[in-house]
Amino acid sequence: MTEQNQSTESPELADLESVLYTEAQIQAKVAELAGRLREDYQGRDLVLIGILKGGIPLLVDLSRKIGLPHQIDMIGAQSYRGTMGPVQEVRITKMLDLPIHGKDVVLVEDIYDTGNTLVKIKAMVETFEPKSLEICAFIYKNKERKQDLDIKYIGYKIEDVFVVGYGLDYDEYYRNLPCIGVLDPKIYSG
Ligand code: IMP
Ligand code: MG
């Protein structure tokens, strides 16, 4: 595929300051995470739970690559914050459909930033008494946090910059990008 064709397919690429991870790198990383899950969850009763909406691409890719019988579900959460400030409040917008009592659950999330969203979702999911509960976050931001969670499965650790693509949005755009990149500050500073 020529570069010209690629930019025709994703005009949003022009809004990136830099690409951190290409589609090929991301897919190789997902295969690596799926391999770890395959080893860890052999013979267990696994449910992968994607956190809407950013966790969807990773949920779908992991599910197809894991090579183990498992169920999938989704949970919706909306984090309120000023444009890009810290999360003020987390509201559950979609509940789980599956009973997860006694199951081995892995929460699948796009990014671990302040951790506020995951702390709240994890506490909520724990009330259903799964047998085990782990977290897979594709991007882990290196930063100081008030509460720290143990994230067992991490794709990439990055500095504290605003990234988009592979599920990650700015104003609900860019989730479709197959790569992950740093958004050009011009886009959000007007
Ligand atoms: P938290 O701060 O860890 O609670 O993250 C809450 C949500 O903020 C994540 O699920 C993402 O939807 C969003 N978020 C945090 N950092 C970024 C980023 O760099 N790009 C896009 N969305 C982000
Ligand atoms: Mg978001």
Side-chain angles (χ1 to χ4, degrees):
M1 194 187 288
T2 65
E3 269 182 32
Q4 201 176 2
N5 280 344
Q6 275 181 356
S7 59
T8 311
E9 278 175 21
S10 289
E12 304 96 320
L13 285 174
D15 295 346
L16 299 185
E17 187 179 75
S18 63
V19 171
L20 292 183
Y21 306 108
T22 64
E23 178 174 10
Q25 287 170 325
I26 288 171
Q27 290 306 318
K29 182 60 79 177
V30 175
E32 190 186 307
L33 288 171
R36 285 181 57 198
L37 290 168
R38 189 180 313 127
E39 276 192 11
D40 295 351
Y41 288 90
Q42 204 87 52
R44 294 170 68 181
D45 204 352
L46 176 63
V47 188
L48 296 177
I49 299 180
I51 302 179
L52 295 173
K53 299 168 215 171
I56 296 310
L58 179 60
L59 173 72
V60 170
D61 287 344
L62 278 177
S63 179
R64 287 192 288 205
K65 288 187 161 94
I66 193 167
L68 281 183
H70 64 283
Q71 297 173 309
I72 62 170
D73 204 347
M74 285 170 239
I75 191 164
Q78 227 163 26
S79 318
Y80 292 94
R81 59 168 88 214
T83 348
M84 285 182 201
V87 169
Q88 314 287 353
E89 189 196 324
V90 180
R91 192 167 61 92
I92 300 296
T93 54
K94 189 212 163 282
M95 241 312 160
L96 295 171
D97 296 324
L98 297 177
I100 57 163
H101 179 89
K103 305 262 187 177
D104 293 302
V105 170
V106 177
L107 292 176
V108 178
E109 174 64 310
D110 52 2
I111 197 161
Y112 181 60
D113 183 17
T114 64
N116 292 343
T117 310
L118 271 171
V119 164
K120 298 235 164 60
I121 290 177
K122 181 168 183 263
M124 199 278 292
V125 170
E126 267 165 353
T127 65
F128 295 105
E129 301 183 327
K131 184 173 173 188
S132 65
L133 181 57
E134 296 292 352
I135 298 170
C136 174
F138 199 62
I139 301 286
Y140 179 102
K141 280 193 191 174
N142 288 321
K143 66 199 285 179
E144 292 275 318
R145 295 183 178 84
K146 271 190 247 153
Q147 311 160 275
D148 227 348
L149 284 175
D150 180 25
I151 313 284
K152 185 162 181 186
Y153 305 96
I154 293 173
Y156 296 106
K157 290 192 172 180
I158 65 167
E159 293 316 304
D160 193 4
V161 288
F162 193 80
V163 288
V164 294
Y166 199 60
L168 289 155
D169 75 302
Y170 171 64
D171 197 18
E172 296 297 330
Y173 290 97
Y174 307 104
R175 294 192 196 275
N176 54 305
L177 289 179
C179 61
I180 292 176
V182 180
L183 191 61
D184 189 329
K186 278 201 285 268
I187 303 297
Y188 47 82
S189 55

